Amino acid sequence: MARLDPHSHTDLSQPQQRHLSWTTEVDFEGRRMQATAVLQFDRGGGPVDLDSRGLEIQGIEAPDGTSLRFELGQPEPILGQRLRVLLPEGVDTCIIRYRTGAEASALQWLEPEQTAGGKAPFLYSQCQAIHARSVVPLQDTPRLRITYDATLNVPSGLRSLMAASAVDGATEGGRTIERWRMDEPIPPYLLAFAVGDLASRELGPRSRVWAEPSVVERAAHEFASVDRMLTSAESLFGPYSWGRFDLLVLPPSFPYGGMENPRLTFLTPTLLTGDRSLVNVVAHELSHSWTGNLVTNASAEDFWLNEGFTVFGERRILELLEGQNMLALHAAVGRQALDEAISNFRDRPQLTRLRTKLEGVDPDDAFSQVPYEKGYLFLRALEDVVGRPAFDRFFRRYMDAFHFKSITTEELLELVRTELPGALETVNAPRWIDGEGVPLGAPVARSSRLEAVERLGTGLPPAAARDWSPWEWQVYLNRLPRPAPAELVTSLDEQFRLTEAPNPEVLVAWLTMAIRGGYPPAVRRAETFLGEVGRMKYLKPLYGALISGPGTRPLAEACARRYRKRYHVIAAAGVDALLRKGT
Ligand code: BES
Ligand code: ZN
């Protein structure tokens, strides 16, 4: 059978999952979850192929208690193991008892010392793109949505959270048992939970923020604008479909900036700068409530539909809340990141297309800023052709036409053809969609603040740059040559104390530039920083700079060895890949 999703064993001619009832007990000592997954399909009869990775299957039964035959395939490097269950005629439900594996790729188990409080352990999941299968056996493709209910049993004193609605909770016999439900059909990669010492603060009628008790006040301050963001987003994209928009700030090893888990966005604590300068990440995850969670990519090959549309949405919100000058700075930093990603893919240029072919490619390896920023520029190009009012109408039409659906690039293009006739030809869409790199004449952001920074070139910024936003600093630093003149690096640090920059975006832009010139204070700061955070957006450029900086490769190797236990499995794998590649 030809696979429609190259990253799943799902066979669309077989019964299709509809609902999951999940019951699980979290064992921090053993680092395992003992669980039961009741999977309900649209029909019974015949084999059904599920995805699983590292799961120890203990038994599979029909609802009447009879054992069902099943077959667990050999582990495959990217896909994991196929779990084939034989559903008798008329039996549309199976009950799977299992335990998660010791190395479940979606899970990070943290020791108390890896948390802010230092007293309680912590566990969280990160299922996108194809890690849900390491936690629950199911058809792990975004093509097949499920509703679910869940019961989480955790040591009392800790609490669990799920990206779902809370039903109820109780404490008995030293355990806390909480129940959840998700009534909107979601792709499996949006299944998410966390367990730890967690407290919350109200942010608005539809939002609260969760974090460890010692972090929650800072988090509430940083994200105070979330309700305004939510109303702005609704004014642009239509009513919010998920009820609540809560936030969860994770420990620093969380490998992403944010993850759009429905009703409960997961965020890195590196956003807590005190000045609200990085809240665009919240706007981004909020935008996914429409583009991604309502309209979903059919597979990782169309990932740009999720991320390109979401960056577009994020920047529409940002423009409303912070104005054109800030928007242009963000877009300029985005373009720099895109050019960097394209240059990193010089030996795999096919990954610089919007529509990709990922048979045999792990989606985590294919991840880059290309689907984000090239996708954004393609949509901006279309907007430039038809004008903002027409494009806004199209955007709404897109969400209307495909809500709760999983679509391919072709289905989007079909809609553009009917709704915006001629636009694809005018922008030469095939060059964007299936061509490599960025077409010439792509939209360019302009604003007075951006141009003031660009005019400086490699000159030293004026003293007034002390008031620059982190975004101006990034534009400036990313434009400097590598290596930059040693005197410039020293003067910059003397005048602006960049090695001590409190903003991680500025710090990482500075360190990656200064390490290339072998500036010792930058190398030392990178060494400590790499032990403090596990966000891949920072790990990759810093390890990359140490690997190619003068004489710093051994330090990169030593840091990777020393810190790998602190990183999420996905992040550790990303660092290993960089070290293997050697640039
Ligand atoms: N959904 C992504 C994170 C993700 C992508 C996880 C692919 C796993 C696989 C999330 O919405 C995201 O894009 N986060 C960005 C935010 C940024 C673009 C504002 C991040 O983590 O940096
Ligand atoms: Zn995103």
PDB file of all heavy atoms in Angstrom, residues 517-544:
ATOM      1  N   GLY A 517      34.632  34.611  16.041  1.00  0.00           N
ATOM      2  CA  GLY A 517      35.902  35.312  16.087  1.00  0.00           C
ATOM      3  C   GLY A 517      36.751  34.855  17.268  1.00  0.00           C
ATOM      4  O   GLY A 517      37.791  35.439  17.567  1.00  0.00           O
ATOM      5  N   GLY A 518      36.290  33.838  17.999  1.00  0.00           N
ATOM      6  CA  GLY A 518      37.063  33.295  19.117  1.00  0.00           C
ATOM      7  C   GLY A 518      37.115  34.210  20.332  1.00  0.00           C
ATOM      8  O   GLY A 518      38.017  34.091  21.158  1.00  0.00           O
ATOM      9  N   TYR A 519      36.139  35.099  20.495  1.00  0.00           N
ATOM     10  CA  TYR A 519      36.139  36.047  21.622  1.00  0.00           C
ATOM     11  C   TYR A 519      35.941  35.269  22.937  1.00  0.00           C
ATOM     12  O   TYR A 519      34.845  34.721  23.182  1.00  0.00           O
ATOM     13  CB  TYR A 519      35.031  37.059  21.376  1.00  0.00           C
ATOM     14  CG  TYR A 519      34.879  38.139  22.420  1.00  0.00           C
ATOM     15  CD1 TYR A 519      35.916  39.030  22.698  1.00  0.00           C
ATOM     16  CD2 TYR A 519      33.675  38.274  23.117  1.00  0.00           C
ATOM     17  CE1 TYR A 519      35.757  40.024  23.647  1.00  0.00           C
ATOM     18  CE2 TYR A 519      33.508  39.274  24.067  1.00  0.00           C
ATOM     19  CZ  TYR A 519      34.552  40.140  24.326  1.00  0.00           C
ATOM     20  OH  TYR A 519      34.402  41.123  25.265  1.00  0.00           O
ATOM     21  N   PRO A 520      36.980  35.212  23.815  1.00  0.00           N
ATOM     22  CA  PRO A 520      36.910  34.299  24.972  1.00  0.00           C
ATOM     23  C   PRO A 520      35.705  34.510  25.898  1.00  0.00           C
ATOM     24  O   PRO A 520      35.087  33.519  26.317  1.00  0.00           O
ATOM     25  CB  PRO A 520      38.239  34.536  25.703  1.00  0.00           C
ATOM     26  CG  PRO A 520      39.157  35.067  24.652  1.00  0.00           C
ATOM     27  CD  PRO A 520      38.288  35.879  23.723  1.00  0.00           C
ATOM     28  N   PRO A 521      35.304  35.759  26.242  1.00  0.00           N
ATOM     29  CA  PRO A 521      34.149  35.879  27.145  1.00  0.00           C
ATOM     30  C   PRO A 521      32.874  35.255  26.551  1.00  0.00           C
ATOM     31  O   PRO A 521      32.054  34.690  27.281  1.00  0.00           O
ATOM     32  CB  PRO A 521      33.971  37.393  27.316  1.00  0.00           C
ATOM     33  CG  PRO A 521      35.319  37.968  27.002  1.00  0.00           C
ATOM     34  CD  PRO A 521      35.901  37.078  25.948  1.00  0.00           C
ATOM     35  N   ALA A 522      32.737  35.331  25.226  1.00  0.00           N
ATOM     36  CA  ALA A 522      31.547  34.757  24.580  1.00  0.00           C
ATOM     37  C   ALA A 522      31.576  33.237  24.661  1.00  0.00           C
ATOM     38  O   ALA A 522      30.559  32.585  24.911  1.00  0.00           O
ATOM     39  CB  ALA A 522      31.464  35.209  23.122  1.00  0.00           C
ATOM     40  N   VAL A 523      32.777  32.668  24.471  1.00  0.00           N
ATOM     41  CA  VAL A 523      32.899  31.214  24.548  1.00  0.00           C
ATOM     42  C   VAL A 523      32.540  30.744  25.959  1.00  0.00           C
ATOM     43  O   VAL A 523      31.792  29.776  26.140  1.00  0.00           O
ATOM     44  CB  VAL A 523      34.335  30.778  24.160  1.00  0.00           C
ATOM     45  CG1 VAL A 523      34.526  29.285  24.383  1.00  0.00           C
ATOM     46  CG2 VAL A 523      34.620  31.161  22.707  1.00  0.00           C
ATOM     47  N   ARG A 524      33.027  31.478  26.965  1.00  0.00           N
ATOM     48  CA  ARG A 524      32.727  31.077  28.350  1.00  0.00           C
ATOM     49  C   ARG A 524      31.238  31.192  28.654  1.00  0.00           C
ATOM     50  O   ARG A 524      30.641  30.344  29.303  1.00  0.00           O
ATOM     51  CB  ARG A 524      33.529  31.944  29.335  1.00  0.00           C
ATOM     52  CG  ARG A 524      35.006  31.576  29.388  1.00  0.00           C
ATOM     53  CD  ARG A 524      35.663  32.181  30.629  1.00  0.00           C
ATOM     54  NE  ARG A 524      35.622  33.644  30.615  1.00  0.00           N
ATOM     55  CZ  ARG A 524      36.568  34.416  30.045  1.00  0.00           C
ATOM     56  NH1 ARG A 524      37.621  33.861  29.466  1.00  0.00           N
ATOM     57  NH2 ARG A 524      36.462  35.733  30.076  1.00  0.00           N
ATOM     58  N   ARG A 525      30.622  32.270  28.197  1.00  0.00           N
ATOM     59  CA  ARG A 525      29.188  32.462  28.461  1.00  0.00           C
ATOM     60  C   ARG A 525      28.366  31.371  27.768  1.00  0.00           C
ATOM     61  O   ARG A 525      27.403  30.846  28.327  1.00  0.00           O
ATOM     62  CB  ARG A 525      28.728  33.849  27.971  1.00  0.00           C
ATOM     63  CG  ARG A 525      27.254  34.153  28.204  1.00  0.00           C
ATOM     64  CD  ARG A 525      26.943  34.365  29.682  1.00  0.00           C
ATOM     65  NE  ARG A 525      25.510  34.490  29.945  1.00  0.00           N
ATOM     66  CZ  ARG A 525      24.753  33.508  30.439  1.00  0.00           C
ATOM     67  NH1 ARG A 525      25.283  32.327  30.734  1.00  0.00           N
ATOM     68  NH2 ARG A 525      23.471  33.695  30.655  1.00  0.00           N
ATOM     69  N   ALA A 526      28.764  31.019  26.543  1.00  0.00           N
ATOM     70  CA  ALA A 526      28.040  29.959  25.813  1.00  0.00           C
ATOM     71  C   ALA A 526      28.113  28.656  26.605  1.00  0.00           C
ATOM     72  O   ALA A 526      27.125  27.927  26.709  1.00  0.00           O
ATOM     73  CB  ALA A 526      28.629  29.771  24.423  1.00  0.00           C
ATOM     74  N   GLU A 527      29.268  28.386  27.175  1.00  0.00           N
ATOM     75  CA  GLU A 527      29.438  27.138  27.920  1.00  0.00           C
ATOM     76  C   GLU A 527      28.443  27.040  29.078  1.00  0.00           C
ATOM     77  O   GLU A 527      27.847  25.993  29.298  1.00  0.00           O
ATOM     78  CB  GLU A 527      30.881  27.046  28.435  1.00  0.00           C
ATOM     79  CG  GLU A 527      31.178  25.735  29.109  1.00  0.00           C
ATOM     80  CD  GLU A 527      32.608  25.632  29.621  1.00  0.00           C
ATOM     81  OE1 GLU A 527      33.407  26.566  29.359  1.00  0.00           O
ATOM     82  OE2 GLU A 527      32.912  24.629  30.281  1.00  0.00           O
ATOM     83  N   THR A 528      28.229  28.127  29.813  1.00  0.00           N
ATOM     84  CA  THR A 528      27.257  28.052  30.906  1.00  0.00           C
ATOM     85  C   THR A 528      25.824  28.044  30.374  1.00  0.00           C
ATOM     86  O   THR A 528      24.991  27.261  30.818  1.00  0.00           O
ATOM     87  CB  THR A 528      27.417  29.216  31.921  1.00  0.00           C
ATOM     88  OG1 THR A 528      27.441  30.438  31.196  1.00  0.00           O
ATOM     89  CG2 THR A 528      28.648  29.073  32.749  1.00  0.00           C
ATOM     90  N   PHE A 529      25.562  28.893  29.391  1.00  0.00           N
ATOM     91  CA  PHE A 529      24.205  28.993  28.847  1.00  0.00           C
ATOM     92  C   PHE A 529      23.712  27.640  28.319  1.00  0.00           C
ATOM     93  O   PHE A 529      22.550  27.260  28.520  1.00  0.00           O
ATOM     94  CB  PHE A 529      24.187  30.057  27.745  1.00  0.00           C
ATOM     95  CG  PHE A 529      22.813  30.408  27.242  1.00  0.00           C
ATOM     96  CD1 PHE A 529      21.970  31.215  27.986  1.00  0.00           C
ATOM     97  CD2 PHE A 529      22.366  29.936  26.007  1.00  0.00           C
ATOM     98  CE1 PHE A 529      20.694  31.554  27.514  1.00  0.00           C
ATOM     99  CE2 PHE A 529      21.097  30.264  25.527  1.00  0.00           C
ATOM    100  CZ  PHE A 529      20.262  31.073  26.285  1.00  0.00           C
ATOM    101  N   LEU A 530      24.610  26.903  27.654  1.00  0.00           N
ATOM    102  CA  LEU A 530      24.220  25.600  27.093  1.00  0.00           C
ATOM    103  C   LEU A 530      23.822  24.597  28.176  1.00  0.00           C
ATOM    104  O   LEU A 530      23.132  23.621  27.896  1.00  0.00           O
ATOM    105  CB  LEU A 530      25.352  25.022  26.243  1.00  0.00           C
ATOM    106  CG  LEU A 530      25.577  25.730  24.907  1.00  0.00           C
ATOM    107  CD1 LEU A 530      26.859  25.247  24.241  1.00  0.00           C
ATOM    108  CD2 LEU A 530      24.386  25.528  23.974  1.00  0.00           C
ATOM    109  N   GLY A 531      24.266  24.837  29.394  1.00  0.00           N
ATOM    110  CA  GLY A 531      23.861  23.972  30.494  1.00  0.00           C
ATOM    111  C   GLY A 531      22.583  24.433  31.167  1.00  0.00           C
ATOM    112  O   GLY A 531      22.016  23.730  31.998  1.00  0.00           O
ATOM    113  N   GLU A 532      22.135  25.637  30.816  1.00  0.00           N
ATOM    114  CA  GLU A 532      20.957  26.197  31.483  1.00  0.00           C
ATOM    115  C   GLU A 532      19.660  26.020  30.709  1.00  0.00           C
ATOM    116  O   GLU A 532      18.587  25.952  31.293  1.00  0.00           O
ATOM    117  CB  GLU A 532      21.163  27.709  31.728  1.00  0.00           C
ATOM    118  CG  GLU A 532      22.222  28.023  32.760  1.00  0.00           C
ATOM    119  CD  GLU A 532      22.746  29.458  32.671  1.00  0.00           C
ATOM    120  OE1 GLU A 532      22.266  30.236  31.816  1.00  0.00           O
ATOM    121  OE2 GLU A 532      23.660  29.789  33.441  1.00  0.00           O
ATOM    122  N   VAL A 533      19.740  26.031  29.371  1.00  0.00           N
ATOM    123  CA  VAL A 533      18.507  25.938  28.574  1.00  0.00           C
ATOM    124  C   VAL A 533      18.591  24.802  27.558  1.00  0.00           C
ATOM    125  O   VAL A 533      19.677  24.446  27.111  1.00  0.00           O
ATOM    126  CB  VAL A 533      18.181  27.253  27.810  1.00  0.00           C
ATOM    127  CG1 VAL A 533      18.102  28.422  28.727  1.00  0.00           C
ATOM    128  CG2 VAL A 533      19.178  27.493  26.703  1.00  0.00           C
ATOM    129  N   GLY A 534      17.429  24.274  27.207  1.00  0.00           N
ATOM    130  CA  GLY A 534      17.392  23.179  26.234  1.00  0.00           C
ATOM    131  C   GLY A 534      16.570  23.537  25.011  1.00  0.00           C
ATOM    132  O   GLY A 534      16.160  22.669  24.254  1.00  0.00           O
ATOM    133  N   ARG A 535      16.312  24.846  24.810  1.00  0.00           N
ATOM    134  CA  ARG A 535      15.508  25.266  23.665  1.00  0.00           C
ATOM    135  C   ARG A 535      16.354  25.137  22.396  1.00  0.00           C
ATOM    136  O   ARG A 535      17.424  25.759  22.281  1.00  0.00           O
ATOM    137  CB  ARG A 535      15.062  26.711  23.881  1.00  0.00           C
ATOM    138  CG  ARG A 535      14.171  27.238  22.786  1.00  0.00           C
ATOM    139  CD  ARG A 535      13.672  28.634  23.118  1.00  0.00           C
ATOM    140  NE  ARG A 535      12.927  29.172  22.006  1.00  0.00           N
ATOM    141  CZ  ARG A 535      12.506  30.436  21.929  1.00  0.00           C
ATOM    142  NH1 ARG A 535      12.760  31.267  22.925  1.00  0.00           N
ATOM    143  NH2 ARG A 535      11.833  30.840  20.889  1.00  0.00           N
ATOM    144  N   MET A 536      15.872  24.339  21.447  1.00  0.00           N
ATOM    145  CA  MET A 536      16.676  24.025  20.258  1.00  0.00           C
ATOM    146  C   MET A 536      17.047  25.246  19.437  1.00  0.00           C
ATOM    147  O   MET A 536      18.100  25.279  18.807  1.00  0.00           O
ATOM    148  CB  MET A 536      15.937  23.024  19.388  1.00  0.00           C
ATOM    149  CG  MET A 536      16.111  21.619  19.912  1.00  0.00           C
ATOM    150  SD  MET A 536      15.562  20.416  18.711  1.00  0.00           S
ATOM    151  CE  MET A 536      13.813  20.541  18.929  1.00  0.00           C
ATOM    152  N   LYS A 537      16.164  26.252  19.449  1.00  0.00           N
ATOM    153  CA  LYS A 537      16.460  27.469  18.693  1.00  0.00           C
ATOM    154  C   LYS A 537      17.775  28.101  19.162  1.00  0.00           C
ATOM    155  O   LYS A 537      18.429  28.812  18.414  1.00  0.00           O
ATOM    156  CB  LYS A 537      15.300  28.454  18.887  1.00  0.00           C
ATOM    157  CG  LYS A 537      15.457  29.725  18.088  1.00  0.00           C
ATOM    158  CD  LYS A 537      14.354  30.717  18.370  1.00  0.00           C
ATOM    159  CE  LYS A 537      14.537  31.943  17.502  1.00  0.00           C
ATOM    160  NZ  LYS A 537      13.649  33.045  17.918  1.00  0.00           N
ATOM    161  N   TYR A 538      18.147  27.870  20.416  1.00  0.00           N
ATOM    162  CA  TYR A 538      19.402  28.408  20.943  1.00  0.00           C
ATOM    163  C   TYR A 538      20.530  27.389  20.876  1.00  0.00           C
ATOM    164  O   TYR A 538      21.682  27.734  20.617  1.00  0.00           O
ATOM    165  CB  TYR A 538      19.211  28.886  22.390  1.00  0.00           C
ATOM    166  CG  TYR A 538      18.145  29.956  22.553  1.00  0.00           C
ATOM    167  CD1 TYR A 538      17.392  30.065  23.726  1.00  0.00           C
ATOM    168  CD2 TYR A 538      17.881  30.862  21.523  1.00  0.00           C
ATOM    169  CE1 TYR A 538      16.414  31.044  23.869  1.00  0.00           C
ATOM    170  CE2 TYR A 538      16.895  31.834  21.656  1.00  0.00           C
ATOM    171  CZ  TYR A 538      16.170  31.920  22.831  1.00  0.00           C
ATOM    172  OH  TYR A 538      15.207  32.887  22.968  1.00  0.00           O
ATOM    173  N   LEU A 539      20.191  26.120  21.143  1.00  0.00           N
ATOM    174  CA  LEU A 539      21.245  25.094  21.124  1.00  0.00           C
ATOM    175  C   LEU A 539      21.897  24.997  19.752  1.00  0.00           C
ATOM    176  O   LEU A 539      23.126  24.922  19.635  1.00  0.00           O
ATOM    177  CB  LEU A 539      20.676  23.714  21.504  1.00  0.00           C
ATOM    178  CG  LEU A 539      20.068  23.550  22.895  1.00  0.00           C
ATOM    179  CD1 LEU A 539      19.727  22.077  23.151  1.00  0.00           C
ATOM    180  CD2 LEU A 539      21.019  24.052  23.979  1.00  0.00           C
ATOM    181  N   LYS A 540      21.069  24.985  18.702  1.00  0.00           N
ATOM    182  CA  LYS A 540      21.622  24.723  17.373  1.00  0.00           C
ATOM    183  C   LYS A 540      22.633  25.792  16.935  1.00  0.00           C
ATOM    184  O   LYS A 540      23.743  25.453  16.555  1.00  0.00           O
ATOM    185  CB  LYS A 540      20.510  24.533  16.351  1.00  0.00           C
ATOM    186  CG  LYS A 540      19.821  23.169  16.512  1.00  0.00           C
ATOM    187  CD  LYS A 540      18.822  22.917  15.409  1.00  0.00           C
ATOM    188  CE  LYS A 540      18.123  21.580  15.613  1.00  0.00           C
ATOM    189  NZ  LYS A 540      17.004  21.406  14.660  1.00  0.00           N
ATOM    190  N   PRO A 541      22.289  27.092  16.985  1.00  0.00           N
ATOM    191  CA  PRO A 541      23.304  28.077  16.557  1.00  0.00           C
ATOM    192  C   PRO A 541      24.519  28.126  17.475  1.00  0.00           C
ATOM    193  O   PRO A 541      25.641  28.335  17.003  1.00  0.00           O
ATOM    194  CB  PRO A 541      22.551  29.416  16.574  1.00  0.00           C
ATOM    195  CG  PRO A 541      21.300  29.193  17.331  1.00  0.00           C
ATOM    196  CD  PRO A 541      20.991  27.726  17.260  1.00  0.00           C
ATOM    197  N   LEU A 542      24.318  27.922  18.770  1.00  0.00           N
ATOM    198  CA  LEU A 542      25.475  27.990  19.674  1.00  0.00           C
ATOM    199  C   LEU A 542      26.411  26.803  19.464  1.00  0.00           C
ATOM    200  O   LEU A 542      27.635  26.979  19.354  1.00  0.00           O
ATOM    201  CB  LEU A 542      25.025  28.075  21.131  1.00  0.00           C
ATOM    202  CG  LEU A 542      24.407  29.419  21.547  1.00  0.00           C
ATOM    203  CD1 LEU A 542      23.911  29.368  22.986  1.00  0.00           C
ATOM    204  CD2 LEU A 542      25.411  30.567  21.372  1.00  0.00           C
ATOM    205  N   TYR A 543      25.859  25.593  19.404  1.00  0.00           N
ATOM    206  CA  TYR A 543      26.726  24.445  19.095  1.00  0.00           C
ATOM    207  C   TYR A 543      27.351  24.626  17.721  1.00  0.00           C
ATOM    208  O   TYR A 543      28.532  24.350  17.519  1.00  0.00           O
ATOM    209  CB  TYR A 543      25.946  23.126  19.185  1.00  0.00           C
ATOM    210  CG  TYR A 543      25.874  22.580  20.599  1.00  0.00           C
ATOM    211  CD1 TYR A 543      24.703  22.672  21.349  1.00  0.00           C
ATOM    212  CD2 TYR A 543      26.989  21.976  21.202  1.00  0.00           C
ATOM    213  CE1 TYR A 543      24.635  22.168  22.655  1.00  0.00           C
ATOM    214  CE2 TYR A 543      26.934  21.481  22.505  1.00  0.00           C
ATOM    215  CZ  TYR A 543      25.750  21.585  23.220  1.00  0.00           C
ATOM    216  OH  TYR A 543      25.708  21.104  24.506  1.00  0.00           O
ATOM    217  N   GLY A 544      26.544  25.114  16.761  1.00  0.00           N
ATOM    218  CA  GLY A 544      27.071  25.329  15.405  1.00  0.00           C
ATOM    219  C   GLY A 544      28.257  26.280  15.424  1.00  0.00           C
ATOM    220  O   GLY A 544      29.287  26.030  14.778  1.00  0.00           O
TER     221      GLY A 544
END
